[in-house]
Short mmCIF file of all heavy atoms in Angstrom, two decimals:
data_model
loop_
_atom_site.label_atom_id
_atom_site.label_comp_id
_atom_site.label_asym_id
_atom_site.label_seq_id
_atom_site.Cartn_x
_atom_site.Cartn_y
_atom_site.Cartn_z
N LEU A 11 0.83 -1.20 0.00
CA LEU A 11 0.00 0.00 0.00
C LEU A 11 0.87 1.25 0.00
O LEU A 11 0.60 2.21 -0.73
CB LEU A 11 -0.92 -0.02 1.23
CG LEU A 11 -2.02 1.04 1.28
CD1 LEU A 11 -2.97 0.89 0.12
CD2 LEU A 11 -2.77 0.95 2.61
N TYR A 12 1.93 1.24 0.80
CA TYR A 12 2.83 2.39 0.88
C TYR A 12 3.48 2.66 -0.48
O TYR A 12 3.62 3.82 -0.89
CB TYR A 12 3.91 2.15 1.94
CG TYR A 12 4.95 3.23 2.02
CD1 TYR A 12 4.61 4.53 2.41
CD2 TYR A 12 6.27 2.97 1.70
CE1 TYR A 12 5.57 5.53 2.47
CE2 TYR A 12 7.24 3.97 1.77
CZ TYR A 12 6.88 5.25 2.15
OH TYR A 12 7.83 6.23 2.20
N LEU A 13 3.85 1.61 -1.18
CA LEU A 13 4.52 1.78 -2.47
C LEU A 13 3.57 2.27 -3.56
O LEU A 13 3.99 2.97 -4.48
CB LEU A 13 5.16 0.46 -2.91
CG LEU A 13 6.36 -0.04 -2.10
CD1 LEU A 13 6.84 -1.37 -2.64
CD2 LEU A 13 7.49 0.97 -2.11
N ASN A 14 2.31 1.89 -3.47
CA ASN A 14 1.39 2.16 -4.59
C ASN A 14 0.39 3.28 -4.35
O ASN A 14 -0.19 3.80 -5.30
CB ASN A 14 0.62 0.87 -4.92
CG ASN A 14 1.51 -0.19 -5.53
OD1 ASN A 14 1.88 -0.09 -6.68
ND2 ASN A 14 1.87 -1.19 -4.74
N LEU A 15 0.17 3.66 -3.08
CA LEU A 15 -0.80 4.72 -2.79
C LEU A 15 -0.15 6.09 -2.95
O LEU A 15 0.90 6.36 -2.36
CB LEU A 15 -1.33 4.56 -1.37
CG LEU A 15 -2.32 5.63 -0.88
CD1 LEU A 15 -3.60 5.58 -1.69
CD2 LEU A 15 -2.61 5.46 0.59
N GLU A 16 -0.74 6.94 -3.76
CA GLU A 16 -0.23 8.30 -3.96
C GLU A 16 -1.23 9.31 -3.43
O GLU A 16 -2.44 9.18 -3.67
CB GLU A 16 0.06 8.55 -5.44
CG GLU A 16 1.20 7.71 -5.99
CD GLU A 16 1.48 8.02 -7.44
OE1 GLU A 16 0.57 8.53 -8.14
OE2 GLU A 16 2.61 7.77 -7.89
N ILE A 17 -0.73 10.32 -2.74
CA ILE A 17 -1.59 11.36 -2.17
C ILE A 17 -1.21 12.71 -2.77
O ILE A 17 -0.03 13.09 -2.76
CB ILE A 17 -1.44 11.41 -0.63
CG1 ILE A 17 -1.89 10.08 -0.02
CG2 ILE A 17 -2.23 12.56 -0.04
CD1 ILE A 17 -1.72 9.99 1.46
N LYS A 18 -2.20 13.42 -3.27
CA LYS A 18 -1.93 14.72 -3.88
C LYS A 18 -2.04 15.81 -2.81
O LYS A 18 -3.04 15.91 -2.10
CB LYS A 18 -2.91 14.99 -5.01
CG LYS A 18 -2.66 16.31 -5.74
CD LYS A 18 -3.55 16.46 -6.97
CE LYS A 18 -3.14 15.51 -8.07
NZ LYS A 18 -3.89 15.76 -9.33
N GLY A 19 -0.98 16.61 -2.69
CA GLY A 19 -0.96 17.68 -1.70
C GLY A 19 -1.74 18.89 -2.14
O GLY A 19 -2.27 18.96 -3.25
N THR A 20 -1.80 19.91 -1.28
CA THR A 20 -2.57 21.12 -1.59
C THR A 20 -1.99 21.88 -2.77
O THR A 20 -2.70 22.59 -3.47
CB THR A 20 -2.58 22.04 -0.35
OG1 THR A 20 -1.23 22.28 0.07
CG2 THR A 20 -3.36 21.39 0.78
N LYS A 21 -0.69 21.74 -3.00
CA LYS A 21 -0.04 22.43 -4.13
C LYS A 21 0.06 21.55 -5.37
O LYS A 21 0.77 21.90 -6.31
CB LYS A 21 1.35 22.89 -3.71
CG LYS A 21 1.34 23.90 -2.55
CD LYS A 21 2.75 24.32 -2.18
CE LYS A 21 2.74 25.32 -1.02
NZ LYS A 21 4.12 25.73 -0.63
N GLY A 22 -0.62 20.41 -5.35
CA GLY A 22 -0.62 19.55 -6.51
C GLY A 22 0.50 18.51 -6.53
O GLY A 22 0.55 17.67 -7.43
N GLN A 23 1.40 18.59 -5.54
CA GLN A 23 2.49 17.62 -5.51
C GLN A 23 1.98 16.25 -5.07
O GLN A 23 1.06 16.15 -4.29
CB GLN A 23 3.63 18.10 -4.60
CG GLN A 23 3.34 17.97 -3.10
CD GLN A 23 2.54 19.13 -2.53
OE1 GLN A 23 1.86 19.83 -3.27
NE2 GLN A 23 2.62 19.32 -1.22
N VAL A 24 2.58 15.20 -5.62
CA VAL A 24 2.17 13.83 -5.31
C VAL A 24 3.20 13.20 -4.39
O VAL A 24 4.40 13.21 -4.68
CB VAL A 24 2.03 13.00 -6.60
CG1 VAL A 24 1.70 11.55 -6.27
CG2 VAL A 24 0.94 13.58 -7.49
N THR A 25 2.73 12.68 -3.27
CA THR A 25 3.63 12.06 -2.30
C THR A 25 3.05 10.73 -1.83
O THR A 25 1.90 10.40 -2.12
CB THR A 25 3.84 12.96 -1.07
OG1 THR A 25 2.56 13.18 -0.44
CG2 THR A 25 4.43 14.30 -1.47
N ARG A 26 3.86 9.98 -1.09
CA ARG A 26 3.37 8.77 -0.46
C ARG A 26 2.81 9.11 0.93
O ARG A 26 3.10 10.16 1.47
CB ARG A 26 4.49 7.73 -0.33
CG ARG A 26 4.90 7.12 -1.67
CD ARG A 26 5.86 5.96 -1.46
NE ARG A 26 6.09 5.23 -2.70
CZ ARG A 26 7.04 5.53 -3.56
NH1 ARG A 26 7.86 6.53 -3.32
NH2 ARG A 26 7.19 4.84 -4.68
N ALA A 27 2.04 8.18 1.46
CA ALA A 27 1.38 8.41 2.75
C ALA A 27 2.41 8.34 3.88
O ALA A 27 2.96 7.28 4.16
CB ALA A 27 0.28 7.39 2.97
N GLU A 28 2.64 9.48 4.53
CA GLU A 28 3.64 9.53 5.59
C GLU A 28 3.24 8.67 6.79
O GLU A 28 4.09 8.09 7.47
CB GLU A 28 3.86 10.98 6.04
CG GLU A 28 5.03 11.15 6.98
CD GLU A 28 5.41 12.61 7.16
OE1 GLU A 28 5.31 13.38 6.19
OE2 GLU A 28 5.82 12.97 8.28
N ILE A 29 1.95 8.55 7.03
CA ILE A 29 1.50 7.75 8.17
C ILE A 29 1.86 6.28 7.98
O ILE A 29 2.17 5.57 8.94
CB ILE A 29 -0.02 7.92 8.39
CG1 ILE A 29 -0.42 7.27 9.72
CG2 ILE A 29 -0.82 7.34 7.24
CD1 ILE A 29 -1.84 7.58 10.14
N LEU A 30 1.86 5.82 6.72
CA LEU A 30 2.25 4.44 6.45
C LEU A 30 3.75 4.27 6.63
O LEU A 30 4.22 3.22 7.10
CB LEU A 30 1.84 4.04 5.03
CG LEU A 30 0.34 3.93 4.77
CD1 LEU A 30 0.07 3.58 3.32
CD2 LEU A 30 -0.27 2.88 5.68
N GLN A 31 4.50 5.30 6.26
CA GLN A 31 5.95 5.28 6.46
C GLN A 31 6.29 5.12 7.95
O GLN A 31 7.13 4.30 8.33
CB GLN A 31 6.56 6.57 5.91
CG GLN A 31 8.04 6.74 6.09
CD GLN A 31 8.47 8.17 5.81
OE1 GLN A 31 9.06 8.83 6.64
NE2 GLN A 31 8.15 8.66 4.62
N GLU A 32 5.60 5.89 8.78
CA GLU A 32 5.82 5.79 10.23
C GLU A 32 5.36 4.43 10.76
O GLU A 32 5.99 3.85 11.65
CB GLU A 32 5.06 6.92 10.93
CG GLU A 32 5.57 8.31 10.57
CD GLU A 32 4.66 9.42 11.08
OE1 GLU A 32 3.62 9.08 11.69
OE2 GLU A 32 4.97 10.59 10.86
N GLY A 33 4.27 3.92 10.20
CA GLY A 33 3.76 2.63 10.63
C GLY A 33 4.73 1.50 10.30
O GLY A 33 4.96 0.61 11.12
N LEU A 34 5.32 1.54 9.10
CA LEU A 34 6.27 0.50 8.71
C LEU A 34 7.52 0.54 9.59
O LEU A 34 8.09 -0.50 9.91
CB LEU A 34 6.65 0.67 7.23
CG LEU A 34 5.53 0.37 6.23
CD1 LEU A 34 5.97 0.72 4.81
CD2 LEU A 34 5.12 -1.09 6.30
N ARG A 35 7.92 1.74 9.98
CA ARG A 35 9.09 1.86 10.87
C ARG A 35 8.79 1.17 12.21
O ARG A 35 9.64 0.44 12.75
CB ARG A 35 9.41 3.34 11.09
CG ARG A 35 10.56 3.58 12.07
CD ARG A 35 11.88 3.13 11.48
NE ARG A 35 13.02 3.53 12.27
CZ ARG A 35 13.60 2.74 13.18
NH1 ARG A 35 13.12 1.53 13.42
NH2 ARG A 35 14.67 3.16 13.84
N GLU A 36 7.60 1.39 12.74
CA GLU A 36 7.23 0.78 14.01
C GLU A 36 7.07 -0.73 13.87
O GLU A 36 7.43 -1.49 14.77
CB GLU A 36 5.94 1.41 14.53
CG GLU A 36 5.42 0.82 15.83
CD GLU A 36 6.43 0.89 16.97
OE1 GLU A 36 7.27 1.84 16.99
OE2 GLU A 36 6.41 -0.01 17.83
N LEU A 37 6.54 -1.19 12.75
CA LEU A 37 6.39 -2.62 12.52
C LEU A 37 7.75 -3.31 12.44
O LEU A 37 7.92 -4.44 12.92
CB LEU A 37 5.58 -2.87 11.24
CG LEU A 37 4.10 -2.49 11.32
CD1 LEU A 37 3.44 -2.61 9.96
CD2 LEU A 37 3.37 -3.35 12.35
N LEU A 38 8.73 -2.64 11.85
CA LEU A 38 10.09 -3.18 11.83
C LEU A 38 10.63 -3.31 13.25
O LEU A 38 11.28 -4.30 13.60
CB LEU A 38 11.02 -2.29 10.99
CG LEU A 38 10.96 -2.51 9.47
CD1 LEU A 38 11.67 -1.38 8.74
CD2 LEU A 38 11.56 -3.86 9.09
N ASN A 39 10.36 -2.30 14.08
CA ASN A 39 10.79 -2.36 15.48
C ASN A 39 10.20 -3.58 16.18
O ASN A 39 10.90 -4.29 16.92
CB ASN A 39 10.35 -1.10 16.23
CG ASN A 39 11.25 0.08 15.93
OD1 ASN A 39 12.39 -0.08 15.52
ND2 ASN A 39 10.73 1.29 16.13
#
């Protein structure tokens, strides 16, 4: 999901979901 989900920001920029990034870090822990 983290690799494939794209979120469009207020300025039109496309990024990945930061909450998933934080979640994966905790899951690794």
